Amino acid sequence: MSKTLQAIRGMNDILPEQTPLWRYFESTVASLLDGYGYRQMRMPIVEATELFKRSIGEVTDIVEKEMYTFDDRNGDSLTLRPEGTASCVRAVLEHGITGGGQVQKLWYIGPMFRHERPQKGRYRQFHQIGVEVFNLDGPDIDAELIIMTWRLWGLLGIRPALTLELNSLGSSAARANYREALVEFLSARLNQLDEDSKRRLATNPLRILDSKVPETQALLIDAPKLVDHLDDDSVTHFAGLTARLDAAGIPYVLNPKLVRGLDYYGKTVFEWVTDQLGAQGTVCAGGRYDGLVEQMGGKPTAGVGFAMGIERLVLLLEALEQVPAALARQVDVYFCALGAPAELAALVLAERLRDQLPNLRLQVNAGAGSFKSQFKKADKSGALFALILAEDELAQQTVALKPLRGNGEQQHISWTALAEQLAACLQA
Ligand code: ATP
Ligand code: MG
């Protein structure tokens, strides 16, 4: 026998037991975003490799070691998207929908691909919902994005487990200033730095701030601080954001070491983190990227956005036991028929029920089987009621309605009254 094939490591099947929770999460987010006037975009999963190199930055972890890049049959270098912002910026530029200062509030959902070490909460194909806003440069929109996510955590019942971390990265000039001061400080202590940080000192020194190495963290205690190098405009902008969060009653923690792994951020950056998921604690992260559109060949255009990891949020819903009980039941009514003529009548009746009760979740027993085996299946389906049609019912043009949960009585209902009575029973 040949060996059965398996999915690629770090790329998961989402099984039927799990999809109700995913759909609940996704539809909760979608209607929240509808409520704030955000419109959905759908971008391709594959883009030119150049797009990610130019936007995310050549010396970031993602571009240096995490991208799935390949040559297609024409010899063009393509990449499975590691994130959505780059594609979204490409798309708005390509279609000219942010030109002339047009405000766009957009969101997207879909798989992202990064060649990381798979572990709980970290996969090679994972899913994000991302939000991007163009042409609004004030702190009010940064606040709106955070307020929106805060509301989402409330709707999902996971608010108490999440902490908002905030920082300002300042203007690119302020960052350049700070980078110089940081490099000077760390260069004088080169022999105390870990290998990764040594390498980053030349390529991306700000990333050293979120090094996980304790010795490096100890060294950073006395290092120059980004807050002391911020430009006035960024300071005012950040104060505008925190004032709004205070007004909205949203608690936050200032984290001066929050730098984010992508080059395009400036001014506001934020992360929602939890201690319930082990090392993979960031469930949502974002910030402002006012320079990115221009860097990608467009006119100067303010931009701000965030992305949340669906796998991690689904794990959090489970960890906090915030999975709505209603999700356990996917069938309301299970239709059992015995004998070929009854089966035919059941088929016609089931379709009539679907016409009359469009929201009904009705499963018709497929394939023959004794009543006993059909009942077993009905019970296992989680349905609240079974409908039963055999020779007697067929002769009388009725159906037996049998409650499967609790101890209600079985009753016979005429075909003409079935939809109405079934609806009443389901509501009770
Ligand atoms: P991390 O620090 O955990 O690697 P990141 O900064 O690389 O995260 P972003 O690029 O900001 O992550 O992506 C936004 C969100 O997407 C993260 O907060 C996380 O919830 C999720 N995410 C990122 N990478 C993965 C992954 N490999 N597997 C599952 N979820 C992920
Ligand atoms: Mg990462």
Side-chain angles (χ1 to χ4, degrees):
M1 211 170 77
S2 63
K3 200 168 155 252
T4 56
L5 293 172
Q6 296 195 330
I8 308 300
R9 197 163 114 81
M11 303 199 179
N12 302 313
D13 299 307
I14 299 156
L15 296 174
E17 287 70 36
Q18 302 167 295
T19 48
L21 185 54
W22 279 67
R23 288 176 59 180
Y24 158 72
F25 175 78
E26 290 164 359
S27 62
T28 305
V29 183
S31 50
L32 174 89
L33 290 165
D34 286 345
Y36 280 83
Y38 287 67
R39 299 184 303 155
Q40 191 184 15
M41 281 266 281
R42 300 190 183 203
M43 296 88 69
I45 285 169
V46 183
E47 300 268 2
T49 302
E50 185 61 21
L51 174 68
F52 302 112
K53 288 194 174 168
R54 265 173 64 185
S55 57
I56 298 170
E58 294 264 9
V59 293
T60 54
D61 283 353
I62 292 181
V63 173
E64 273 186 338
K65 46 189 190 198
E66 295 175 359
M67 293 204 304
Y68 280 92
T69 297
F70 60 97
D71 287 344
D72 79 353
R73 288 172 193 276
N74 305 327
D76 298 326
S77 179
L78 306 183
T79 294
L80 299 184
R81 63 180 182 194
E83 56 111 48
T85 306
S87 308
C88 191
V89 166
R90 196 255 325 126
V92 298
L93 281 176
E94 188 169 331
H95 301 286
I97 61 172
T98 53
Q102 285 175 84
V103 171
Q104 293 291 347
K105 296 184 166 188
L106 306 171
W107 70 278
Y108 50 82
I109 178 170
M112 306 292 161
F113 303 84
R114 297 184 194 176
H115 196 276
E116 304 197 69
R117 195 169 69 77
Q119 54 199 290
K120 183 184 170 196
R122 190 176 296 284
Y123 311 102
R124 290 180 173 173
Q125 173 172 333
F126 61 99
H127 298 78
Q128 285 184 340
I129 292 180
V131 173
E132 316 288 352
V133 178
F134 296 98
N135 283 315
L136 289 173
D137 60 7
D140 51 337
I141 193 67
D142 303 27
E144 177 172 282
L145 294 182
I146 291 173
I147 289 169
M148 218 157 64
T149 49
W150 169 255
R151 178 173 294 282
L152 177 63
W153 314 144
L155 290 171
L156 296 171
I158 57 177
R159 223 183 236 175
L162 289 166
T163 304
L164 173 62
E165 298 195 353
L166 274 188
N167 193 20
S168 175
L169 297 180
S171 66
S172 58
R175 267 194 316 284
N177 251 328
Y178 172 65
R179 194 175 300 135
E180 228 168 84
L182 184 67
V183 169
E184 195 184 332
F185 175 89
L186 291 173
S187 301
R189 293 155 182 83
L190 200 58
N191 53 352
Q192 299 171 57
L193 273 184
D194 63 273
E195 284 311 309
D196 238 13
S197 297
K198 270 186 196 151
R199 194 174 49 84
R200 284 188 171 140
L201 195 57
T203 56
N204 199 350
L206 259 57
R207 286 287 277 161
I208 298 175
L209 295 181
D210 69 3
S211 160
K212 302 277 185 297
V213 180
E215 290 76 19
T216 300
Q217 278 305 328
L219 196 63
L220 286 169
I221 293 173
D222 299 319
K225 302 275 178 292
L226 181 54
V227 264
D228 302 324
H229 289 76
L230 285 188
D231 52 299
D232 292 346
D233 181 36
S234 296
V235 171
T236 312
H237 195 277
F238 195 61
L241 170 61
T242 52
R244 284 171 175 84
L245 296 180
D246 292 338
I250 301 179
Y252 52 87
V253 174
L254 300 179
N255 177 357
K257 289 187 185 146
L258 186 64
V259 289
R260 313 278 306 114
L262 305 95
D263 275 358
Y264 49 61
Y265 288 114
K267 288 188 174 156
T268 310
V269 286
F270 68 92
E271 289 192 355
W272 284 102
V273 298
T274 178
D275 58 9
Q276 303 282 312
L277 297 178
Q280 274 54 250
T282 305
V283 299
C284 174
R288 189 161 272 287
Y289 49 85
D290 292 339
L292 181 59
V293 174
E294 197 179 2
Q295 186 185 315
M296 299 306 292
K299 297 231 164 60
T301 303
V304 59
F306 66 77
M308 54 184 123
I310 302 182
E311 282 82 357
R312 290 186 194 176
L313 283 157
V314 164
L315 282 169
L316 190 58
L317 286 167
E318 287 169 341
L320 300 175
E321 296 180 6
Q322 292 297 327
V323 179
L327 296 184
R329 185 161 54 81
Q330 291 180 59
V331 179
D332 300 317
V333 177
Y334 195 100
F335 210 143
C336 309
L338 201 64
E343 213 180 279
L344 210 56
L347 178 141
V348 174
L349 275 174
E351 286 311 302
R352 206 184 289 163
L353 281 175
R354 293 186 209 282
D355 288 338
Q356 292 171 303
L357 307 173
N359 294 322
L360 180 69
R361 294 175 304 175
L362 171 65
Q363 189 160 325
V364 179
N365 177 60
S370 67
F371 258 144
K372 201 167 158 217
S373 82
Q374 292 198 41
F375 272 137
K376 254 194 201 148
K377 284 192 232 163
D379 196 47
K380 210 170 151 225
S381 76
L384 295 173
F385 296 96
L387 290 174
I388 304 154
L389 199 92
E391 224 172 292
D392 286 353
E393 286 82 11
L394 193 59
Q396 295 158 13
Q397 305 224 330
T398 62
V399 181
L401 176 71
K402 181 180 165 67
L404 294 173
R405 320 280 146 205
N407 38 19
E409 290 284 305
Q410 176 170 318
Q411 53 178 312
H412 277 85
I413 300 171
S414 75
W415 288 356
T416 46
L418 183 58
E420 200 182 321
Q421 293 206 25
L422 188 59
C425 288
L426 283 167
Q427 256 166 24

